Amino acid sequence: MHSVNDYANLEPTLRVPDLKQALYDADPLFLTSTVVSLHGEEHKRKRRVVQSLFTREFFRQYQNRVFPLALDETLAPVVAAGRGDLGTFSYRVLVNLVADAAGLDRDHTEAQTDRMLEIITKLGKAPTIGQMLSGSIDEARAEIQEALDLFKVSFYEHSAARRRALIAKKAEDPSVDLPRDMLVCMLQAFDGEIEEDQLVRDTAFFILAGAFTQANALQNTMWEILTWCSAHPETRAELLTDPATLQKFIWESLRLHPASPVARRKALCPMDLPDGASVDEEEIVDVNIGTGNRDNSVFGDDAATFNPYRELPRRVPLYGATFGAGAHACVGRILAAGMPMAVAGDEEGETEYGTLYLVVQALLEAGIEFDPDEAPVIDESTERKHFESFPFVLRQGQA
């Protein structure tokens, strides 16, 4: 195994075409056959289908028109109660947005949301199964398969059937409007070509990637912001009035807590890496994004600490290499994290702030604080930073 730890070599290594995704090899049931793990022409074709949905028009539609409705619906009962758990809240607010974008037909009932959360919780073991520090891998795999079976019968089958009927109608009548979602894109590209269970896995991956990673990012971001504001209480007013400053806080948290701290690759042939190291065929190359994002030579002597006001070299984003690079760079970056404030927006005045920004802003406006009687509990079973619980209280009207 070879490790790449310095920031300068993270992205160049991730762009090497003969390094194949190997992070999810411990999960043979689910992720290894989805776009996140495929390689070569097979990967390029499926990624093009995914990217065909992720246009700036799509980002703006979901961020500015669809997502606010889901946010208001989820926030209202929490505001009424004056408290909640950020883990539960995060998944609830994101799951309906992601399900709509994926193309899952639902009645938007609380029971359906709970069922989707149950599925995502079990599927969430897939990306972390290779970094498990405790627990049974066999039990985790069994839960992943159970979740896929439940997802198929509860959400996928009837949603795919309706879209197949619409696609057939459109073939006869071009005026028929199709939903703008991932399931339509996948069926148009692959229906009849790949097995049905693979379409199920591809759709489930879209749900997992959108809800699981963003929910975890939201919890880490609020942890960092509330910790900072405890030491610098005057900052809360600035975060509520200056979008660029709030974005810096979010991006700094993303730098410190990347969804995938390690991008693991396998060499398909002998090669020399950008850092000068030589590796053999089948050798594992770990690109340590979490370590590189804390490189003192780039992010300063305090690189390991949360400091959203840090000055960075030109062309180094405050979130570092968190969203990856090359063939497997995150296609949902703009939807989650937005565009830099200096270049965001257009003549219509629409700005891609990102969904994380919208949720954090709403929680700050509602007066979110740590629960003084119950501290957050970090999940110690994995190397990634997850929370078992994150109690909070709302003190609406406080700045």
Side-chain angles (χ1 to χ4, degrees):
M1 180 182 294
H2 175 73
S3 294
V4 178
N5 299 310
D6 57 307
Y7 183 83
N9 284 305
L10 296 182
E11 291 196 8
T13 305
L14 291 173
R15 295 184 186 278
V16 174
D18 287 324
L19 288 176
K20 181 185 183 299
Q21 172 73 275
L23 184 61
Y24 307 115
D25 288 355
D27 162 42
L29 302 172
F30 179 24
L31 296 180
T32 51
S33 60
T34 64
V35 67
V36 73
S37 295
L38 298 177
H39 191 76
E41 290 303 317
E42 190 177 11
H43 170 263
K44 288 180 183 178
R45 185 182 174 200
K46 191 166 285 189
R47 185 178 173 90
R48 280 196 296 267
V49 174
V50 175
Q51 288 178 315
S52 70
L53 178 67
F54 281 144
T55 64
R56 293 189 70 175
E57 176 188 0
F58 171 87
F59 290 145
R60 292 179 181 184
Q61 167 69 13
Y62 274 84
Q63 174 196 277
N64 299 329
R65 295 172 181 82
V66 177
F67 187 61
L69 298 177
L71 177 56
D72 291 345
E73 180 182 345
T74 309
L75 187 59
V78 177
V79 170
R83 63 179 59 246
D85 183 275
L86 194 58
T88 301
F89 174 84
S90 298
Y91 282 109
R92 283 189 173 277
V93 75
L94 290 166
V95 70
N96 285 316
L97 167 74
V98 175
D100 286 339
L104 302 181
D105 296 332
R106 300 161 345 280
D107 297 326
H108 291 271
T109 63
E110 185 174 347
Q112 282 188 327
T113 300
D114 288 342
R115 176 61 58 87
M116 185 67 72
L117 291 172
E118 176 189 355
I119 291 169
I120 290 177
T121 299
K122 293 178 179 179
L123 292 180
K125 296 181 182 295
T128 63
I129 199 169
Q131 294 89 45
M132 286 180 62
L133 300 176
S134 62
S136 167
I137 289 180
D138 288 339
E139 289 181 5
R141 288 174 175 169
E143 287 194 40
I144 293 168
Q145 186 60 60
E146 179 184 347
L148 287 171
D149 294 340
L150 186 59
F151 175 76
K152 182 177 181 179
V153 299
S154 299
F155 297 101
Y156 173 85
E157 289 181 329
H158 64 273
S159 302
R162 188 173 78 86
R163 280 156 181 76
R164 284 188 171 110
L166 287 172
I167 292 170
K169 287 183 180 179
K170 189 172 183 63
E172 299 175 356
D173 180 3
S175 67
V176 172
D177 290 329
L178 295 177
R180 186 163 175 75
D181 55 49
M182 185 54 62
L183 187 49
V184 165
C185 294
M186 295 297 290
L187 289 171
Q188 288 179 314
F190 298 111
D191 201 15
E193 180 180 331
I194 61 179
E195 62 177 11
E196 191 76 5
D197 281 346
Q198 182 57 54
L199 288 169
V200 172
R201 290 190 288 270
D202 288 328
T203 309
F205 167 71
F206 188 85
I207 295 287
L208 176 66
F212 185 79
T213 57
Q214 283 195 74
N216 193 56
L218 176 59
Q219 292 173 73
N220 279 312
T221 297
M222 288 311 312
W223 166 278
E224 296 292 359
I225 288 177
L226 293 178
T227 300
W228 179 277
C229 288
S230 295
H232 310 87
E234 71 282 357
T235 306
R236 287 186 75 109
E238 182 182 11
L239 294 177
L240 286 170
T241 57
D242 185 359
T245 298
L246 181 53
Q247 185 183 66
K248 287 180 180 179
F249 274 68
I250 294 169
W251 284 11
E252 173 75 343
S253 177
L254 290 171
R255 177 185 71 85
L256 289 173
H257 309 290
S260 294
V262 177
R264 176 162 291 179
R265 301 290 189 263
K266 180 184 293 184
L268 298 180
C269 60
M271 67 181 71
D272 294 327
L273 297 177
D275 65 359
S278 297
V279 296
D280 296 326
E281 183 178 357
E282 296 292 310
E283 188 170 345
I284 294 296
V285 177
D286 273 354
V287 183
N288 289 313
I289 294 174
T291 302
N293 275 358
R294 301 180 182 214
D295 189 332
N296 288 356
S297 68
V298 178
F299 298 98
D301 293 338
D302 64 342
T305 64
F306 183 83
N307 175 14
Y309 296 101
R310 69 178 69 251
E311 296 293 330
L312 295 177
R314 187 180 179 184
R315 296 183 180 179
V316 175
L318 194 55
Y319 52 70
T322 287
F323 293 99
H328 289 288
C330 177
V331 296
R333 177 185 61 79
I334 295 176
L335 183 63
M339 294 286 288
M341 293 298 176
V343 299
D346 62 8
E347 66 278 0
E348 298 178 356
E350 290 193 290
T351 302
E352 288 101 343
Y353 292 111
T355 50
L356 288 174
Y357 175 96
L358 296 179
V359 182
V360 172
Q361 181 190 49
L363 288 170
L364 288 172
E365 288 177 344
I368 186 172
E369 294 181 2
F370 287 125
D371 187 330
D373 300 321
E374 191 175 359
V377 177
I378 296 176
D379 181 359
E380 301 292 349
S381 68
T382 175
E383 294 175 0
R384 302 187 187 193
K385 185 180 178 184
H386 295 298
F387 291 89
E388 288 186 1
S389 63
F390 195 138
F392 66 86
V393 295
L394 297 178
R395 308 193 189 281
Q396 195 146 22
Q398 296 187 5

